Amino acid sequence: MKRYIFLFMSFLFFLCFWIFSYRINNLDGEKLNIWIDENGNELKVPIIKVLKGNELTLITYFNKNDKNYIIFPEISGNYAEIYLNGNLIEKLGYGKDHLFNLYLKPHLLFLGNNLKEKNELKIVIFDLYKGGIKTTPVLINEKDLNKFSILKFINYGFISSLGGIIFFSIILVLDYLFFLKLEKKVFLYYLLSLILLLVSSRDFHYISLGNQHTYLIMKKIFFVFLLASFMFFIQTINTSIKKRRLFNYIIGILLLIPSLFYIFSKDVYTLMEYYNKFSIIPTIILFLLIILYRNIERYIFLFTFLACTILHDILLVYYPINGDRFLFQYGLFSYAIFIGFRIIEELKNANIKIEDYYNKAFSDPLTNSHNRFLLNHIKLTNEDTIVFFDLNDLKKINDNFGHEKGDEALIFVSSIVKKHIRINDYLIRYGGDEFIVIMKKCSTKIAKLKFLEIQEDLKKFEIPLSIAYGISKFNENLDKTLQIADMKMYKMKSLIKKNRRKKIKGA
């Protein structure tokens, strides 16, 4: 039931996000919705034509008013030139040898203060695939420029931070891989997935990809790397499928097929057609993972949002809507966040392992106290008190009752001492039946009172127990302090033996 609630919430969030994106792109202002092409046909935005390396010329007219800025929320093309009354006023890009993805970024143009009563605005769009105007341009005045700032941040500024997020994640993984020496296989998959995703995410930035030949090569790299990133990431997913390896092989083959089509595409048009058709494969895989992934309740939101963005963009390619823009780049954010959460989980588990190793390295497995190796890692001051003690007559207990009973006695002693000392004090098994207690910021007087109480509690064992102990204030050097405490302990042990002899003689 919980799974379906998360699924419904993720669909609801995507719907809200889609409405928000649609509203942001449909700006208020004087809309230039009707354009005329070179054949004299009157067209209404969205206007998308198959260009295949040709140009599309569109012309519109508007009357003079107080609005001398124009915003193009989204132009589909690799390069464009804009003319006002026959004069070139803006180049979007650097020419046909420096191709861009114009649709990623909104464009703001100043039309000047000397507009005619009736003005002609012409845009010439060049694209290797499909080009045109996807969202209605609007005329605005200077006081409404904040609309462009918001639009630019949402549609481009927000996306441009994706690379930085991925790069930070890569640094984090490298840190754990090479400095903490953790389990490398799963982190290697994350590292490869993130590096490939970082390269492929460059496709969503307003950068020059070179001439037509270079542009084709770069687009192939972006698309293939994106699928490869997804494939490596899937290797880290723990599904409910018993034959997980076979499942991963099948997924790998499904992703390899479109990759081969991408690699051998002869031109950008063919490549983009393959990309749009094969995008359904990752969508199906994502929905499969939603069904099969064991921990999906935590991540169904991100998985579903990514799948919805891909499905949305596939439909938008074939059924364009004015003001509706591609959302896959936002879906990549959910993908990056998902990887981030998975890395945090892996790091958390790795830290638990490291802590476990640390505890085992400094813990005595029998008594659950610390072992003597911890002594070199405790910072001592002159305010600390050291107590050296051992269990009396452990050999007799072992000889008369067996070693298991002797072990029980040591465990009991450890539990009683821990019961009486504070959290920030240390109980250390020095060896055999010898123990050291380090009492932080504690006087010898309080330490003596504590050990008198401990001595009384030890009598509650089924075989009454006793300890001999020596107490010394820490004085600069641990070894010397232990020697003093050891001497005091043996004096006490000698006194205990003398008293026993007197009792025996007296008896």
Side-chain angles (χ1 to χ4, degrees):
M1 185 65 183
K2 191 176 178 182
R3 182 186 295 258
Y4 296 111
I5 292 173
F6 276 107
L7 189 63
F8 173 75
M9 288 175 62
S10 58
F11 277 122
L12 186 63
F13 176 80
F14 173 78
L15 181 62
C16 292
F17 184 83
W18 175 77
I19 293 170
F20 170 75
S21 174
Y22 181 82
R23 181 67 188 88
I24 285 290
N25 282 280
N26 284 273
L27 299 171
D28 295 328
E30 184 177 335
K31 298 182 181 294
L32 303 179
N33 202 33
I34 305 299
W35 295 73
I36 301 169
D37 66 12
E38 55 266 37
N39 298 318
N41 299 313
E42 191 175 276
L43 305 172
K44 188 176 181 180
V45 179
I47 304 166
I48 302 294
K49 299 284 185 179
V50 175
L51 298 183
K52 293 186 179 181
N54 295 312
E55 293 180 347
L56 171 65
T57 301
L58 298 171
I59 299 173
T60 191
Y61 299 92
F62 64 94
N63 295 322
K64 183 179 179 180
N65 51 40
D66 63 336
K67 299 175 176 64
N68 52 1
Y69 288 89
I70 183 171
I71 297 176
F72 285 90
E74 188 175 3
I75 298 172
S76 182
N78 300 134
Y79 171 70
E81 294 178 351
I82 299 174
Y83 297 83
L84 178 64
N85 298 322
N87 298 313
L88 178 65
I89 61 170
E90 189 71 35
K91 288 184 178 181
L92 303 180
Y94 299 109
K96 297 179 182 178
D97 289 331
H98 295 277
L99 301 178
F100 286 74
N101 291 321
L102 295 181
Y103 69 90
L104 298 172
K105 190 176 181 181
H107 303 279
L108 174 68
L109 283 74
F110 177 59
L111 300 177
N113 295 315
N114 299 314
L115 295 173
K116 298 178 180 180
E117 289 302 318
K118 186 171 185 179
N119 300 278
E120 178 191 83
L121 185 69
K122 180 172 75 172
I123 181 168
V124 180
I125 300 170
F126 172 84
D127 195 87
L128 298 175
Y129 180 51
K130 295 178 180 179
I133 301 174
K134 294 187 66 179
T135 302
T136 302
V138 293
L139 295 170
I140 63 169
N141 52 35
E142 192 170 351
K143 68 177 183 179
D144 291 328
L145 288 178
N146 62 308
K147 295 179 181 178
F148 175 75
S149 300
I150 296 170
L151 182 68
K152 186 178 179 181
F153 174 76
I154 297 296
N155 287 350
Y156 183 70
F158 186 65
I159 297 302
S160 62
S161 64
L162 178 62
I165 293 171
I166 298 171
F167 184 74
F168 175 77
S169 300
I170 290 173
I171 297 298
L172 186 65
V173 174
L174 283 171
D175 181 46
Y176 274 78
L177 264 175
F178 296 108
F179 292 97
L180 293 187
K181 307 291 185 184
L182 301 178
E183 176 64 39
K184 289 192 174 182
K185 189 175 180 181
V186 66
F187 280 92
L188 188 60
Y189 285 145
Y190 283 129
L191 182 63
L192 290 171
S193 180
L194 285 168
I195 291 172
L196 292 168
L197 182 61
L198 179 64
V199 175
S200 61
S201 70
R202 298 299 89 190
D203 190 33
F204 300 101
H205 290 72
Y206 189 71
I207 56 174
S208 172
L209 301 180
N211 58 31
Q212 294 186 29
H213 179 68
T214 307
Y215 184 86
L216 174 61
I217 294 172
M218 294 303 295
K219 294 292 279 189
K220 287 181 179 181
I221 291 172
F222 294 153
F223 293 167
V224 172
F225 276 29
L226 186 60
L227 289 179
S229 171
F230 189 48
M231 183 179 68
F232 278 115
F233 175 66
I234 286 173
Q235 304 306 310
T236 69
I237 298 296
N238 189 17
T239 63
S240 57
I241 297 285
K242 289 183 179 179
K243 296 182 179 180
R244 179 184 167 190
R245 183 173 294 181
L246 178 61
F247 176 76
N248 287 343
Y249 282 144
I250 294 171
I251 297 297
I253 292 170
L254 286 174
L255 295 175
L256 179 63
I257 292 170
S259 297
L260 292 174
F261 276 91
Y262 298 162
I263 291 169
F264 294 107
S265 299
K266 61 182 180 179
D267 54 45
V268 172
Y269 178 82
T270 307
L271 174 65
M272 293 303 299
E273 284 292 292
Y274 286 146
Y275 176 75
N276 291 326
K277 289 174 181 176
F278 284 118
S279 291
I280 195 66
I281 293 178
T283 310
I284 293 170
I285 292 172
L286 281 168
F287 281 116
L288 270 176
L289 291 175
I290 289 171
I291 297 169
L292 300 174
Y293 186 39
R294 287 177 179 173
N295 300 321
I296 197 60
E297 283 82 5
R298 281 178 286 177
Y299 301 121
I300 190 171
F301 182 87
L302 299 172
F303 261 38
T304 307
F305 182 76
L306 175 58
C308 286
T309 59
I310 300 174
L311 197 59
H312 165 271
D313 288 5
I314 293 171
L315 293 172
L316 192 60
V317 168
Y318 299 104
Y319 306 101
I321 300 173
N322 182 19
D324 194 4
R325 64 179 289 118
F326 292 122
L327 300 177
F328 176 58
Q329 57 267 38
Y330 299 100
L332 276 185
F333 261 100
S334 67
Y335 180 44
I337 291 169
F338 182 83
I339 292 179
F341 279 142
R342 292 287 293 137
I343 290 172
I344 289 170
E345 272 193 355
E346 295 292 346
L347 296 181
K348 182 181 176 183
N349 294 334
N351 282 331
I352 290 171
K353 285 183 180 179
I354 289 173
E355 190 175 343
D356 184 51
Y357 293 151
Y358 177 86
N359 290 333
K360 285 179 180 177
F362 293 106
S363 295
D364 175 58
L366 177 65
T367 62
N368 201 28
S369 59
H370 299 295
N371 63 36
R372 62 189 300 168
F373 298 112
L374 186 67
L375 284 170
N376 298 323
H377 299 272
I378 300 174
K379 188 176 180 180
L380 298 169
T381 70
N382 293 337
E383 297 180 21
D384 302 334
T385 295
I386 309 294
V387 183
F388 203 152
F389 75 89
D390 76 355
L391 177 61
N392 294 322
D393 300 322
L394 178 62
K395 187 176 183 304
K396 287 183 181 180
I397 296 172
N398 287 332
D399 292 341
N400 296 331
F401 301 97
H403 285 277
E404 286 187 7
K405 188 58 68 178
D407 288 345
E408 288 179 22
L410 289 171
I411 293 168
F412 183 77
V413 169
S414 177
S415 65
I416 293 298
V417 174
K418 282 193 283 187
K419 176 184 170 184
H420 285 274
I421 63 176
R422 298 162 300 174
I423 295 174
N424 59 331
D425 296 333
Y426 299 91
L427 172 63
I428 298 167
R429 189 179 180 189
Y430 196 66
D433 61 347
E434 293 183 328
F435 292 83
I436 294 170
V437 175
I438 297 175
M439 306 182 76
K440 302 292 290 180
K441 293 184 179 180
C442 178
S443 67
T444 54
K445 184 179 179 180
I446 293 175
K448 286 176 184 177
L449 291 173
K450 285 287 181 186
F451 268 80
L452 286 173
E453 294 172 0
I454 290 169
Q455 194 76 282
E456 286 299 313
D457 278 356
L458 290 176
K459 295 176 183 177
K460 297 175 183 177
F461 191 63
E462 54 188 285
I463 306 165
L465 303 174
S466 68
I467 58 174
Y469 54 87
I471 299 173
S472 177
K473 200 75 174 174
F474 176 74
N475 189 14
E476 303 300 335
N477 186 284
L478 178 61
D479 290 335
K480 288 182 179 179
T481 306
L482 287 174
Q483 285 176 6
I484 295 169
D486 187 37
M487 287 171 61
K488 290 182 177 180
M489 179 187 73
Y490 274 98
K491 281 183 182 179
M492 185 176 184
K493 192 176 282 288
S494 296
L495 286 172
I496 291 171
K497 287 180 180 179
K498 282 181 183 179
N499 289 333
R500 281 181 183 172
R501 289 194 196 105
K502 285 179 181 180
K503 284 183 181 179
I504 291 170
K505 287 179 181 179

